[in-house]
Amino acid sequence: MSACADTTESQVAFAPDYQGVQTRLLEGDLVSFFVQMEGARGTEDVADYAECAAAQYTLIRGYGFARHVRTNVDNMGSQWRADAVYTISPALPRGTRTIDAEVTVQHCVENGIPTV
């Protein structure tokens, strides 16, 4: 067996193609993010992309925190899409799925995930 035939998924280079973010203010502090990418390894990659967009948007609006409400992910072949909803706020919101926008944006930059 050749070395090429024995390559596992974890050995394949991750080469995502981030294809854009659409942001929609739903009501008050509730914001929807639609993201699209190719080359995701799974739902977590596209959800991370949406979270990065939410974090940057939160900072742009002058807030420091966001709370994840929901994320729906769809995959059609190599094309991945996510529709995520977050609330944004100046203070740490209640709940377990909160993000510190500055920390999250820094993590996104370090991992090469674009923001808004």
Side-chain angles (χ1 to χ4, degrees), residues 36-82:
Q36 183 171 307
M37 69 183 290
E38 287 188 12
R41 296 167 291 197
T43 58
E44 189 173 321
D45 287 337
V46 72
D48 286 348
Y49 184 25
E51 182 174 273
C52 289
Q56 183 65 52
Y57 180 85
T58 300
L59 294 177
I60 289 169
R61 295 291 299 226
Y63 296 120
F65 301 92
R67 181 178 57 84
H68 180 256
V69 176
R70 64 132 175 94
T71 300
N72 295 321
V73 175
D74 184 38
N75 173 242
M76 292 185 294
S78 64
Q79 193 73 43
W80 290 82
R81 294 184 180 111

Side-chain angles (χ1 to χ4, degrees), residues 18-114:
Y18 299 101
Q19 299 177 336
V21 177
Q22 293 179 347
T23 305
R24 186 175 307 147
L25 184 60
L26 298 175
E27 184 177 318
D29 62 355
L30 196 62
V31 185
S32 176
F33 301 89
F34 296 94
V35 299
Q36 183 171 307
M37 69 183 290
E38 287 188 12
R41 296 167 291 197
T43 58
E44 189 173 321
D45 287 337
V46 72
D48 286 348
Y49 184 25
E51 182 174 273
C52 289
Q56 183 65 52
Y57 180 85
T58 300
L59 294 177
I60 289 169
R61 295 291 299 226
Y63 296 120
F65 301 92
R67 181 178 57 84
H68 180 256
V69 176
R70 64 132 175 94
T71 300
N72 295 321
V73 175
D74 184 38
N75 173 242
M76 292 185 294
S78 64
Q79 193 73 43
W80 290 82
R81 294 184 180 111
D83 171 14
V85 176
Y86 287 82
T87 59
I88 59 174
S89 63
L92 184 63
R94 297 174 84 178
T96 59
R97 305 214 38 205
T98 60
I99 62 172
D100 179 317
E102 283 189 35
V103 171
T104 301
V105 166
Q106 183 61 38
H107 174 76
C108 298
V109 168
E110 290 169 1
N111 288 290
I113 304 171

